[in-house]
Amino acid sequence: MITNQVNNIVELIQQQIKDIVEKSIKVAEQKGELPQIEIPEIVIEKPREQQYGEFSTNVAMQITKQAKQPPRKIAEIIIGNAATEGTYVEKIDCAGPGFINFYLNNQWLYDSLKLITEMKEQYGEITIGKGTKVMVEFVSANPTGPLHMGNARGGALGDCIASVLEKAGYDVTREFYVNDAGNQIQKFGISLEARYIQQLKGEDAILFPEDGYQGEDIIEHAKAYIAEYGDALLLKESEERRSILAQYALPKNIERIRDGLQQYGISYDVWFSEKSLYDSKEVERTISELKEKGYTVESEDAIWLNGEKLGLEKNEVLVRNNGFPTYMAADIAYHRDKFVGRKFDWVINLWGADHHGHVGRMKAAMIPFGIEPDKLQVVLFQLVRLYRNGEIARMSKRTGKSISLTDLLDEVGKDAARFFFNMKASGSHLDFDLDLAVKQSNENPVFYVQYAHARICSMLAKLEEEGIPMPEVSKVDLSLLKEKEELELIKKLAELPEEIRISASTLEPSRLTRYVMDVAGGFHSFYSACSVKNAEEELRMARIELAMCTKTVIRNVLSILKISSPERM
RNA sequence: GUGCCUGUAGCUCAGCUGGAUAGAGCAACGGACUUCUAAUCCGUAGGUCGGGGGUUCGAAUCCCUCCAGGCACGCCA
């Protein structure tokens, strides 16, 4: 049944079932048992209850009106005409109000194990992306200070979304947009200047701007500059002084951000500079194009994006009355470049939920350039609350400052951080329990999963030590695996490609985190119910094969999440 | 005030393109280590799916309304 084309057995079976149903309906039409039916999209689902088989469909209920017969009757007719030869389907019956339930023979499970053994680290890879060029832009933190918890969640989410899309066959580019131009860089310079003067001439020498960056890191930059270059800037014009200080500190901050993300397991394909959009006149060009196409209005000495024409609630300023473009203008130019300049077919942005107001505007702003707005997709994630000792934690234990990504990594480590941020759907609020993340106990799901992997490794090592030969899949009789725990575990393993498919299409890698917890649980149950070492030789071989496949699946999922798979714990 | 997100077991969350008796982990309680790692396993208990209305053969899921929490409504980004 396995061919090189098949990499998702669950999908294959669902297709088989759809074919069975469609053909059966056609046959029934010919026999006159059913009138001509416009067959709807056949939905195959997994029944909650084991007793209802592996898959079920509700077509009989969907076509009740067309068939002019009660659903159970229709189901009986479909079952009566179903041809299951050459498929994994063993039995079909009808239950409840008219569900058609499909029971499979175990061969699909054994074939899945063979598939895992053949594909190894590639198991789980599918081709639904068909090489589509997709960009995932995430974190894109302001380089005016350290990375915070929002960046940490966005980083874990964005990176894992990118990985999942790669597994699903997309051509993925990870990008960081560096906001190295515009207002906040001005503010950065003003803040640095104030700290610089305060360092040299005392706290009261200059009033620190109310909307300046308050962080300690600004003071540290000022001190570092003075240590390196002294007080010569005091003699310069303010504007030049600010610019020099900003240009001094900015690269340092970007470097720190890069290092922090590297520690976190994230590396980007592209670091895209906002400033480059000004330097290349791309912002200007974008604004004139909007103007030419009639999407702008001018009033109060400013140039506005015509919101009404784009179905928006209000107009948005593109060029201020002082002649400087807004962030919005630069962002439109940036996204135009993603599609028009760099030819991405699909662009995914990860933004904190506080930016949700910006989503509709940006998508609409693509229309003037002939870009389908839905090609720009924004994944919003809710913000993070840290808990320590059962209370909201705002400050770092070590530094006393607000908790940065680096602090988090120091405190809980990369594995726990990435696991926890990917445990919940992006849209749900996240309470991050710092105590739990480092707890080495069964309360901590990271350890639960990693322990399953370590347990397999150690078991296999022990068997090898005792001189027990490792199996060759072609010689193993997998059909010996028929204990409940064995079958449950294999079923889980067989679902990986389907889990990847769903995670990719919903952009929810959290699904995989929960999946790998299930796999680990399945293994632990198998482990305590079925002895490998003490099984009769043939069975032992099959069980070793199952354990090795489990190891492969856990590794593959953890590697998507960029979490380590320890061999011993 | 307007818009968006969230509300499911004691806690943290799945399920939400409508389907069969609403699921999982943790916590609680009771069991299992002379046996391949007990960082584990097995079992028990736990629910007005925020409230109320509606649509439907059927609603946690769709519509309306109210309540609670978060966020956004800048010539900030």
Side-chain angles (χ1 to χ4, degrees):
Chain A
M1 190 54 71
I2 295 187
T3 72
N4 288 335
Q5 263 70 47
V6 175
N7 46 28
N8 185 347
I9 291 183
V10 171
E11 191 186 37
L12 172 71
I13 294 169
Q14 295 192 352
Q15 193 53 53
Q16 288 179 349
I17 291 175
K18 284 183 195 176
D19 291 346
I20 291 171
V21 171
E22 280 178 16
K23 281 182 191 143
S24 170
I25 292 174
K26 295 239 166 69
V27 170
E29 286 174 0
Q30 279 162 17
K31 287 191 190 167
E33 294 173 5
L34 288 174
Q36 286 288 316
I37 302 278
E38 182 110 7
I39 303 175
E41 172 67 24
I42 295 173
V43 182
I44 308 293
E45 44 189 28
K46 263 182 79 168
R48 209 177 25 240
E49 301 291 327
Q50 188 83 44
Q51 52 162 316
Y52 295 126
E54 208 57 51
F55 293 104
S56 72
T57 179
N58 62 349
V59 258
M61 288 176 276
Q62 284 183 303
I63 60 173
T64 311
K65 276 204 180 104
Q66 285 191 67
K68 300 194 180 70
Q69 295 190 54
R72 282 200 71 113
K73 185 80 199 305
I74 300 166
E76 298 294 350
I77 292 171
I78 293 173
I79 294 167
N81 291 299
T84 59
E85 301 80 55
T87 72
Y88 289 111
V89 177
E90 186 174 76
K91 190 181 93 180
I92 312 177
D93 68 13
C94 165
F99 290 101
I100 303 173
N101 296 326
F102 297 83
Y103 301 78
L104 308 179
N105 62 46
N106 285 340
Q107 194 53 43
W108 75 286
L109 297 174
Y110 306 136
D111 284 349
S112 295
L113 290 182
K114 287 184 202 151
L115 183 66
I116 296 167
T117 308
E118 279 167 24
M119 294 184 74
K120 295 196 180 65
E121 64 275 8
Q122 277 162 24
Y123 176 65
E125 289 180 9
I126 53 174
T127 55
I128 57 168
K130 299 190 180 79
T132 303
K133 249 178 82 117
V134 51
M135 174 193 293
V136 184
E137 184 221 316
F138 59 105
V139 182
S140 297
N142 264 336
T144 51
L147 295 164
H148 51 70
M149 281 310 110
N151 301 137
R153 188 176 190 189
L157 275 169
D159 195 43
C160 292
I161 285 174
S163 297
V164 167
L165 291 174
E166 279 170 346
K167 285 280 169 190
Y170 290 88
D171 175 7
V172 180
T173 298
R174 290 171 171 81
E175 182 152 312
F176 188 112
Y177 183 49
V178 186
N179 301 120
D180 53 0
N183 241 330
Q184 80 282 355
I185 295 299
Q186 294 295 318
K187 218 159 77 178
F188 187 51
I190 294 170
S191 308
L192 286 163
E193 177 190 42
R195 294 306 189 198
Y196 178 81
I197 293 171
Q198 283 177 339
Q199 283 299 312
L200 293 167
K201 298 170 72 177
E203 286 289 311
D204 302 329
I206 184 169
L207 192 66
F208 191 79
E210 209 162 283
D211 61 344
Y213 292 109
Q214 299 283 350
E216 287 284 315
D217 52 306
I218 302 290
I219 298 173
E220 281 157 22
H221 280 306
K223 282 184 185 166
Y225 185 89
I226 293 164
E228 217 169 321
Y229 301 105
D231 61 358
L233 290 185
L234 288 174
L235 303 171
K236 302 268 188 191
E237 289 292 321
S238 177
E239 195 174 324
E240 191 183 353
R241 185 162 56 215
R242 289 171 185 175
S243 160
I244 289 172
L245 285 167
Q247 289 319 308
Y248 167 81
L250 203 56
K252 291 191 176 220
N253 274 355
I254 294 170
E255 211 40 54
R256 277 178 208 168
I257 287 172
R258 198 192 294 260
D259 290 348
L261 291 170
Q262 192 75 45
Q263 267 184 57
Y264 196 33
I266 299 174
S267 55
Y268 287 91
D269 300 298
V270 181
W271 290 74
F272 193 96
S273 152
E274 179 184 0
K275 187 166 172 289
S276 75
L277 290 168
Y278 288 97
D279 294 346
S280 65
K281 309 273 183 228
E282 202 57 29
V283 178
E284 263 176 62
R285 250 199 302 281
T286 299
I287 293 166
S288 8
E289 195 175 332
L290 287 170
K291 216 185 279 185
E292 281 160 27
K293 291 184 170 165
Y295 284 95
T296 58
V297 288
E298 294 190 32
S299 77
E300 301 164 61
D301 297 322
I303 301 174
W304 304 67
L305 181 69
N306 188 333
E308 197 188 344
K309 197 163 174 178
L310 293 167
L312 298 171
E313 278 177 21
K314 54 188 179 62
N315 296 341
E316 301 292 333
V317 175
L318 294 175
V319 183
R320 302 184 181 93
N321 60 13
N322 63 11
F324 286 103
T326 59
Y327 167 86
M328 174 92 191
D331 219 14
I332 294 173
Y334 176 44
H335 284 89
R336 179 183 168 280
D337 178 68
K338 289 181 180 179
F339 288 106
V340 178
R342 292 188 282 160
K343 306 264 185 285
F344 281 93
D345 300 311
W346 186 19
V347 170
I348 297 165
N349 291 346
L350 276 104
W351 290 351
D354 52 337
H355 288 75
H356 71 79
H358 197 49
V359 177
R361 296 200 279 273
M362 275 313 300
K363 293 181 72 150
M366 295 297 99
I367 294 172
F369 307 105
I371 300 157
E372 169 57 43
D374 285 342
K375 286 190 168 185
L376 173 62
Q377 196 167 351
V378 180
V379 174
L380 294 174
F381 55 90
Q382 298 294 323
L383 301 180
V384 179
R385 264 192 316 202
L386 293 174
Y387 280 81
R388 186 187 284 125
N389 304 324
E391 288 171 5
I392 294 180
R394 291 208 172 74
M395 299 300 156
S396 156
K397 254 199 263 187
R398 192 171 49 83
T399 62
K401 294 180 286 188
S402 68
I403 301 172
S404 69
L405 173 62
T406 316
D407 297 325
L408 180 75
L409 293 177
D410 285 348
E411 194 166 336
V412 310
K414 179 187 81 153
D415 288 350
R418 294 189 65 120
F419 196 94
F420 275 63
F421 281 128
N422 270 302
M423 232 162 37
K424 281 151 203 181
S426 55
S428 62
H429 298 263
L430 179 75
D431 292 331
F432 194 117
D433 186 334
L434 291 165
D435 303 311
L436 178 60
V438 290
K439 211 177 268 184
Q440 305 205 354
S441 79
N442 58 344
E443 291 168 63
N444 188 341
V446 190
F447 284 96
Y448 184 81
V449 174
Q450 291 184 322
Y451 178 59
H453 183 268
R455 211 177 193 187
I456 296 170
C457 292
S458 127
M459 182 185 86
L460 294 174
K462 192 118 189 189
L463 291 171
E464 242 174 340
E465 234 171 67
E466 293 179 17
I468 294 171
M470 289 296 115
E472 210 172 303
V473 67
S474 57
K475 298 189 182 133
V476 176
D477 182 3
L478 294 169
S479 69
L480 294 170
L481 299 171
K482 41 191 175 216
E483 294 298 325
K484 187 173 96 243
E485 288 81 4
E486 293 167 332
L487 297 176
E488 284 296 311
L489 175 57
I490 304 171
K491 201 177 289 180
K492 270 284 154 214
L493 302 182
E495 283 166 359
L496 177 60
E498 185 62 7
E499 290 293 324
I500 303 265
R501 190 186 66 75
I502 299 172
S503 301
S505 55
T506 55
L507 302 180
E508 280 293 359
S510 61
R511 205 186 157 89
L512 288 178
T513 313
R514 288 189 296 270
Y515 167 76
V516 79
M517 288 164 75
D518 270 1
V519 172
F523 176 76
H524 288 310
S525 296
F526 159 73
Y527 183 89
S528 42
C530 308
S531 172
V532 176
K533 197 172 85 177
N534 301 322
E536 179 275 327
E537 190 179 341
E538 291 289 306
L539 178 59
R540 186 177 61 208
M541 287 296 187
R543 285 182 174 167
I544 292 174
E545 187 62 36
L546 173 54
M548 295 200 299
C549 288
T550 308
K551 179 180 154 185
T552 299
V553 168
I554 292 177
R555 279 183 85 91
N556 289 2
V557 176
L558 289 183
S559 88
I560 291 171
L561 303 171
K562 296 215 190 99
I563 292 167
S564 65
S565 304
E567 308 235 328
R568 69 189 49 176
M569 289 172 73

